[in-house]
Amino acid sequence: MVTFLPRRPGRLADVPSFDRAIGGAESNVACVLAAAGHTARWVGRVGADGFGDHLVERIAAYGVDVSAVSRDPARPTGVYFRTAGDRGTVAHEVAYYRAGSAASAMSVANVDLPAVRAGRVLHLSGITAALSAECRALMHTLTAPRPGRPVLSFDVNHRPALWRNPEGPLELLDLARRADIVFVGEDEAEEAWGITGGPDAIRAALPEPGVLVVKQGERGATAFEGAHATPPALPGTALPATALPATAPLAAAPPATAQPTHRAPTLPTFAPAVKADVVATTGAGDAFAAGFLSGALRGLPLRTRLRLGHLFAAATLTTPGDLATPPTREHADRLTALDDTAWGRLRLAPGWTQAERATEEANTP
């Protein structure tokens, strides 16, 4: 979608002007991965209009392959407006205009399925499933068990305002159970599924994914990795969608199944979030997913993948838009290698990713 960001705080009714940017969960992940040096493809659908031109051009500018993006001559590109306030406050407003959009008409018939499946990892979002019955059918096709299915990454992204179907939360739970890697917020698990009791309770309800990441807001994130999870040394990632072409051999994912899979219990891995001076929260979850997947693509340990997720999220949290350039690999690796005390002292402010050594790190070893 095209995103319109307010030029000053206030109600949508009072904001006189907006700046145009790009948005969308899957394209956000693709852009951040590409900016971090990975090969990424975004597969989607936009209108044959100026906003569609803007999206394709801007996403391509991040280094993302957009050759499989199709243009709809009859439906417009989706747009949305939001206030400058934090999504967690009652003052936050979002106005979506994507009913009848080109993206809402994505289906098995008009999406390039070979391009989507050509990646080693396929990253999907629950937002897509909420857009239409055709989109839900597409999601079920992409997540269905089949030989050679890419490693499937799924961000639950529960957005109640988008669901007209009261069965939406159950749809999301079903899709999550089909995935190999799942991202879900502790708060959205409670809102969507009524699950309380923290990460352990969420894992009990979702034993199937090889990797489950529970985001816990400012506290941090907890990850569970099953005994038979796919090794995280992934050379590429894919995303409607986003898809990443293969660049090296990849260990095969375990057979996909919609039935519960019994895995040997593993201890959860927790990584505290890094402190950041928050400008806006929109897009931080997508950046977190990109950071975690970046670490998986590099074969890094689970704790390091979580820390990378926090750093990539902090890059977005300290900027006003939905997208931010992540730290360089060298910068990120130095920060993820800090000991627990130094990590806990770290505080990141706007502009930290552009600094060779951010001033906020002065108190770290």
Side-chain angles (χ1 to χ4, degrees):
M1 296 177 298
V2 171
T3 305
F4 287 94
L5 308 174
R7 289 192 170 181
R8 66 171 176 80
R11 302 185 310 154
L12 287 178
D14 300 327
V15 175
S17 59
F18 298 79
D19 290 318
R20 183 182 63 177
I22 62 176
E26 300 90 350
S27 57
N28 284 346
V29 174
C31 288
V32 175
L33 281 169
H38 300 284
T39 301
R41 172 186 294 140
W42 176 56
V43 182
R45 212 168 150 74
V46 299
D49 50 28
F51 285 155
D53 293 340
H54 174 68
L55 280 176
V56 173
E57 291 167 7
R58 284 291 308 278
I59 292 170
Y62 276 86
V64 177
D65 178 357
V66 295
S67 60
V69 176
S70 57
R71 310 298 292 268
D72 192 319
R75 298 176 180 86
T77 302
V79 301
Y80 86 100
F81 296 77
R82 67 173 173 86
T83 53
D86 190 331
R87 176 178 281 152
T89 69
V90 294
H92 183 72
E93 297 175 76
V94 176
Y96 292 105
Y97 296 94
R98 51 182 169 189
S101 68
S104 71
M106 286 191 297
S107 69
V108 174
N110 61 28
V111 166
D112 188 342
L113 297 182
V116 174
R117 290 168 171 158
R120 292 306 187 190
V121 175
L122 173 64
H123 179 76
L124 302 168
S125 164
I127 294 175
T128 300
L131 297 183
S132 67
E134 292 80 8
C135 285
R136 284 192 290 280
L138 172 64
M139 292 286 283
H140 280 275
T141 296
L142 294 176
T143 59
R146 67 188 302 272
R149 191 187 79 174
V151 173
L152 184 59
S153 169
F154 180 69
D155 194 334
V156 172
N157 266 327
H158 179 232
R159 298 290 185 268
L162 292 178
W163 282 100
R164 299 180 182 180
N165 175 6
E167 300 301 313
L170 294 179
E171 294 268 6
L172 294 176
L173 187 60
D174 179 51
L175 292 170
R177 285 173 169 164
R178 294 164 171 246
D180 303 302
I181 303 170
V182 172
F183 301 93
V184 63
E186 190 175 30
D187 55 347
E188 65 183 341
E190 180 176 359
E191 182 179 32
W193 306 319
I195 299 174
T196 58
D200 288 332
I202 297 171
R203 182 54 163 173
L206 275 172
E208 298 88 356
V211 177
L212 172 67
V213 181
V214 180
K215 298 174 288 183
Q216 298 168 269
E218 295 180 355
R219 286 172 292 164
T222 298
F224 300 84
E225 190 167 34
H228 304 294
T230 303
L234 312 178
T237 296
L239 312 170
T242 303
L244 307 186
T247 57
L250 171 68
T257 174
Q259 301 301 318
T261 301
H262 298 289
R263 301 179 184 276
T266 57
L267 292 175
T269 299
F270 174 75
V274 66
K275 297 180 181 67
D277 296 335
V278 177
V279 175
T281 60
T282 306
D286 303 327
F288 179 92
F292 186 92
L293 290 174
S294 177
L297 294 171
R298 297 173 58 196
L300 300 178
L302 192 59
R303 179 173 173 270
T304 305
R305 284 179 264 164
L306 289 170
R307 282 192 169 189
L308 280 174
H310 291 318
L311 289 174
F312 280 39
T316 297
L317 289 169
T318 52
T319 58
D322 291 17
L323 270 171
T325 301
T328 65
R329 182 167 295 186
E330 180 182 7
H331 191 176
D333 286 349
R334 180 168 54 78
L335 296 183
T336 58
L338 293 173
D339 62 34
D340 290 344
T341 301
W343 178 265
R345 290 203 304 259
L346 192 62
R347 187 178 188 92
L348 303 173
W352 71 272
T353 58
Q354 284 74 52
E356 184 174 344
R357 183 175 181 83
T359 56
E360 294 75 12
E361 299 171 37
N363 291 328
T364 64

